Amino acid sequence: MRGFGQLEAEIMERLWSWGRPATVREVVDDLNGVRPVAYTTVNTVADILYRKGYLHRSKQGRAWVYEPVRSHEAHTADVMREVLGGATDPRAALMLFVDGMDEGQAAALREALADRAPDDRP
């Protein structure tokens, strides 16, 4: 898994934030409110995201309707696991990550660890 390219990320962010399936036309119209982008470009990138396994698609009339396969949170967790898995010293990487957290993030981490049931631990 790798990070998304700029347009891939913009498409995924919209689909995640909308929380519903959407057509390429809807994505293009929304993107054009920020910057110009061609329908064919968004269509190609959506197809690439589909082939990579990030999007599900189904036909609605003559148009494809796309929706994310996984939630934004699940994707973020996968990216974090992948990056941590590539660290030479995972403990040191985790410590540096935690040291860079603001208080709200640290509190959320403490809550998540406290809520984790003993049966959930490897």
Side-chain angles (χ1 to χ4, degrees):
M1 180 186 304
R2 61 170 188 77
F4 294 124
Q6 181 179 346
L7 185 54
E8 288 176 327
E10 289 178 280
I11 291 169
M12 292 301 296
E13 288 297 333
R14 277 160 177 78
L15 294 173
W16 279 320
S17 70
W18 293 342
R20 62 170 175 78
T23 63
V24 169
R25 171 55 52 206
E26 291 175 287
V27 175
V28 169
D29 289 347
D30 196 62
L31 283 168
N32 277 326
V34 178
R35 66 180 177 91
V37 63
Y39 178 93
T40 53
T41 302
V42 175
N43 191 55
T44 298
V45 174
D47 183 61
I48 290 168
L49 287 166
Y50 165 74
R51 286 187 278 124
K52 288 180 177 180
Y54 292 113
L55 295 178
H56 170 75
R57 72 180 179 192
S58 58
K59 275 286 197 180
Q60 182 176 322
R62 294 182 351 158
W64 288 112
V65 177
Y66 291 90
E67 63 184 317
V69 170
R70 304 188 69 192
S71 71
H72 192 213
E73 294 76 15
H75 172 73
T76 301
D78 284 344
V79 170
M80 292 169 68
R81 277 190 291 275
E82 181 181 354
V83 170
L84 185 60
T88 305
D89 184 347
R91 184 180 189 288
L94 276 171
M95 291 303 298
L96 289 166
F97 177 73
V98 170
D99 286 345
M101 290 180 161
D102 64 31
E103 186 49 44
Q105 293 166 330
L109 178 58
R110 283 191 296 274
E111 285 179 32
L113 291 172
D115 290 347
R116 190 170 179 206
D119 295 349
D120 293 341
R121 296 191 177 120

